[in-house]
Amino acid sequence: MAQTTKRCHWVPQSYLKAFAEKSTGKIWRLGKDGGEPELKRLDKVAVKFHLYSPMGTDGRRDDALEKKFADLESYFGDPVWKELCDGYPDLSWKPLRMMVALLVATTWLRTPTQFEDWQRIHNQILGPTSTSRGGTDEWPAG
């Protein structure tokens, strides 16, 4: 059985690398509740356990959404990523413009706050009488 992704990053680590100190590979970040800036490893930033791998009715986690995000991020190889971070890419080329738009949209939609909104809307649409997920009335808990 394949390993389920546990540490789900809502900001791609490949994106964060562009802001990392070259000597340490760490980035400076501010906490959401204020405080002093902290120097953190990339794997410790914008991460939540099982954010995109809900527990299924069979008791196993499904990380298909996390895999889709990883596939999307893989479209941006180092040259494209470097140009997006450091340069001025030619967005007149429609395929690049579409990839950037998709990346920006999914990066915004996959934050924990937005993801909680997905869950709330999903549950409102299905309502408490739904049996489409094995009789459960709520989005699978993370």
Side-chain angles (χ1 to χ4, degrees), residues 15-133:
Y15 175 77
L16 293 173
K17 281 181 189 176
F19 302 98
E21 289 187 350
K22 303 300 180 221
S23 61
T24 64
K26 296 179 180 182
I27 65 167
W28 286 98
R29 72 155 188 109
L30 296 171
K32 66 179 180 180
D33 298 320
E36 293 297 315
E38 302 174 296
L39 192 59
K40 291 280 192 178
R41 292 185 354 210
L42 296 181
D43 64 336
K44 302 283 188 188
V45 176
V47 65
K48 186 172 182 179
F49 282 92
H50 300 295
L51 180 60
Y52 311 118
S53 55
M55 189 70 72
T57 56
D58 62 356
R60 293 187 299 184
R61 292 199 176 269
D62 177 10
D63 68 344
L65 182 58
E66 173 66 22
K67 300 279 190 244
K68 291 284 186 187
F69 286 143
D71 288 346
L72 173 64
E73 292 161 19
S74 73
Y75 287 133
F76 288 87
D78 285 338
V80 174
W81 207 235
K82 183 165 179 41
E83 184 65 16
L84 286 172
C85 293
D86 299 334
Y88 295 96
D90 181 7
L91 294 177
S92 65
W93 186 48
K94 187 175 181 179
L96 178 60
R97 193 171 59 243
M98 291 174 67
M99 286 189 334
V100 170
L102 182 60
L103 184 69
V104 169
T106 56
T107 298
W108 179 72
L109 286 171
R110 68 194 271 188
T111 64
T113 301
Q114 291 300 318
F115 200 71
E116 288 168 8
D117 284 346
W118 291 12
Q119 292 172 332
R120 182 182 47 74
I121 292 167
H122 177 83
N123 291 334
Q124 286 175 349
I125 290 170
L126 292 181
T129 59
S130 173
T131 57
S132 65
R133 292 175 321 281

